[in-house]
């Protein structure tokens, strides 16, 4: 079997280096027989050092379904005296997926763990194994009201990972968009976007969040709106406003503008009201935002004189990628005009 085949994912020179080096090395960069690797990491789950036990569990989580052989040992680690080890074990079981079904009973017990972060990891793992939203979504919704913002953020992130089946959490996530913590608001916006059309009732909340003081929250909210219902007139207005997003952190603000332009482009001719904003964005100092605006103009296919003028100017740009985008957009616009 070839050295770098999937069967051989693991740690190089597994037995040639010390325990600390083995556990600290990232799985994805090295290669040996994954069965031997899993066996070795299982022994580290029983190590006297809690840091070693936690690292072993996290290494197993990187192996995904290949770590199936560690299911029983990981289920045992859910009873570890150290919360970090218990949480890492739950994460690893979730990464194994349905193949770790024998650990479901122990994970359900862990939903009552004294540590809220462990409970959240167990809830997400249980969903990834059983592919049923309950009882996982219910526990995560409850965790959104925890007094610790880190717990609330983790819960929103877990709901985001579940996606559409987490629709029963929409009401709680709408409230989370008004959380005092911007990181919780950002995770809540992403979760609603990943739920998709099932979160349509949250559109007004996300439109408000697209004007949040935090540029990170604005970015996730704009992205979420485009995933839930970009064809809504109210959403289009919010996307047009986002084309002019400005912030001290311009690198992220440019991502807001870029995301808005790309979302508008997907609307085709319905995005025509955004043309003035897109034309202004073509001159943006962020080249990716400019290219996104040009692409959106081409997808909309509006052939007004001012559009042709801007595209022809862009074709003379010194930036090759920008020139190519402008030429492609101009071709789309003129071809639609001929029809």
């Amino acid at each position: 079997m070839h050295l770098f085949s999937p069967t051989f994912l693991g740690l190089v020179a597994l037995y040639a280096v010390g325990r600390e080096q083995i556990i600290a090395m990232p799985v994805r960069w090295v290669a040996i027989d994954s069965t031997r690797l899993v066996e070795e990491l299982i022994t580290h789950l029983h190590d006297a050092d809690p840091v070693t036990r936690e690292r072993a569990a996290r290494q197993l989580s990187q192996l995904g379904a290949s770590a199936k052989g560690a299911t029983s040992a990981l289920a045992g680690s859910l009873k570890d005296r150290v919360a970090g080890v218990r949480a890492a074990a739950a994460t690893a079981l979730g990464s194994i997926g349905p193949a770790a079904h024998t650990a479901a009973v122990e994970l359900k017990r862990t939903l009552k763990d004294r540590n809220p972060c462990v409970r959240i990891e167990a809830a997400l793992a249980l969903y990834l194994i059983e592919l049923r939203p309950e009882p996982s979504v219910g526990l995560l919704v409850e965790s959104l009201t925890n007094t610790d913002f880190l717990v609330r953020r983790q819960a929103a992130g877990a709901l985001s990972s579940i996606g559409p089946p987490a629709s029963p959490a929409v009401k709680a996530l709408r409230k989370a968009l008004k959380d005092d913590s911007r990181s919780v608001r950002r995770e809540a916006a992403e979760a609603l976007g990943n739920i998709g059309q099932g979160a349509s009732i949250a559109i007004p909340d996300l439109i408000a969040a697209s004007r949040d003081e935090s540029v990170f929250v604005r970015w996730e909210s704009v992205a979420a709106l485009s995933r839930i219902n970009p064809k809504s007139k109210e959403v289009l207005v919010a996307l047009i406003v986002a084309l002019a997003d400005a912030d001290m952190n311009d690198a992220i603000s440019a991502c807001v503008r870029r995301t808005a332009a790309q979302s508008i482009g997907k609307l085709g001719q319905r995005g025509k009201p955004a043309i003035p904003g897109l034309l202004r964005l073509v001159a943006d100092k962020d080249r990716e935002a400019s290219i996104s605006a040009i692409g959106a103009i081409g997808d909309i296919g509006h052939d007004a004189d001012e559009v042709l003028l801007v595209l022809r100017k862009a074709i003379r740009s010194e930036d090759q990628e920008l020139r190519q985008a402008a030429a492609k957009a101009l071709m789309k616009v003129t071809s639609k005009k001929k029809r």
Side-chain angles (χ1 to χ4, degrees):
M1 186 172 292
H2 193 276
L3 178 63
F4 294 102
S5 67
T7 307
F8 283 85
L9 289 175
L11 299 176
V12 68
L14 182 61
Y15 299 105
V17 295
R19 180 194 69 189
E20 292 79 7
Q21 290 172 279
I22 291 172
I23 298 301
M25 293 173 68
V27 171
R28 63 183 178 277
W29 296 116
V30 288
I32 64 162
D33 187 334
S34 62
T35 301
R36 290 172 55 205
L37 170 61
V38 169
E39 291 173 353
E40 182 69 16
L41 290 174
I42 287 173
T43 65
H44 292 308
L45 287 176
H46 304 292
D47 195 275
D49 178 19
V51 174
T52 297
R53 298 198 300 274
E54 181 175 347
R55 286 178 176 172
R58 297 203 180 283
Q59 292 285 11
L60 285 165
S61 72
Q62 293 186 41
L63 292 174
S66 297
K68 177 183 176 182
T71 297
S72 178
L74 287 167
S77 294
L78 292 174
K79 300 176 184 176
D80 195 281
R81 67 180 183 276
V82 177
V85 177
R86 299 197 300 275
T91 300
L93 288 166
S95 71
I96 294 171
H101 62 90
T102 55
V105 172
E106 196 58 47
L107 280 168
K108 288 176 181 176
R109 292 196 187 101
T110 308
L111 294 178
K112 298 180 181 178
D113 192 278
R114 60 186 177 276
N115 185 292
C117 295
V118 175
R119 295 198 298 269
I120 290 171
E121 289 300 331
L124 179 56
L126 189 61
Y127 168 76
L128 293 172
I129 291 170
E130 296 192 333
L131 302 178
R132 292 200 301 266
E134 292 301 338
S136 298
V137 171
L139 183 143
L140 295 173
V141 167
E142 180 182 334
S143 299
L144 285 174
T145 61
N146 193 282
T147 55
D148 187 340
F149 84 94
L150 292 174
V151 174
R152 300 196 300 275
R153 182 179 68 185
Q154 185 184 1
L159 288 166
S160 181
S161 297
I162 291 175
S167 58
V170 168
K171 182 179 179 180
L173 288 169
R174 291 174 68 189
K175 291 182 180 178
L177 285 176
K178 300 179 178 67
D179 195 278
D180 291 338
S181 167
R182 66 181 181 182
S183 62
V184 175
R185 299 196 301 274
R186 173 173 53 82
E187 292 289 348
E190 183 178 10
L192 288 165
N194 286 344
I195 290 172
Q197 292 184 352
S200 295
I201 195 172
I203 285 179
D205 307 276
L206 285 166
I207 289 175
S210 72
R211 300 188 294 269
D212 193 276
E213 64 181 7
S214 166
V215 66
F216 292 97
V217 177
R218 297 199 300 273
W219 184 15
E220 289 297 348
S221 298
V222 168
L225 286 168
S226 68
R227 289 197 293 271
I228 294 173
N229 187 7
K231 297 179 181 179
S232 161
K233 290 182 180 179
E234 293 79 7
V235 170
L236 177 57
V237 171
L239 294 176
I240 291 173
V241 171
L243 291 174
D245 190 89
D247 194 86
M248 290 181 63
N249 187 340
D250 192 62
I252 304 302
S253 184
C255 292
V256 177
R257 301 192 295 273
R258 203 158 59 220
T259 300
Q262 292 167 352
S263 300
I264 290 169
K266 294 175 183 177
L267 297 176
Q269 292 185 346
R270 290 193 205 82
K272 187 176 177 180
I275 287 294
L278 290 169
L279 289 175
R280 287 190 291 272
L281 191 59
V282 171
D284 198 276
K285 57 186 176 182
D286 181 86
R287 65 187 295 273
E288 295 300 326
S290 298
I291 291 171
S292 295
I294 290 172
I297 291 170
D299 291 334
I300 293 170
H302 189 51
D303 60 357
D305 291 342
E306 58 181 334
V307 171
L308 299 176
L309 183 65
V310 168
L311 292 178
R312 285 168 180 154
K313 181 180 179 181
I315 287 178
R316 298 192 295 271
S317 169
E318 295 180 359
D319 187 306
Q320 181 180 359
E321 191 173 352
L322 198 148
R323 289 199 309 271
Q324 291 174 342
K328 184 178 179 180
L330 188 60
M331 187 178 299
K332 286 183 178 179
V333 168
T334 53
S335 64
K336 289 180 181 179
K337 183 176 181 179
K338 291 177 181 178
R339 280 183 278 174

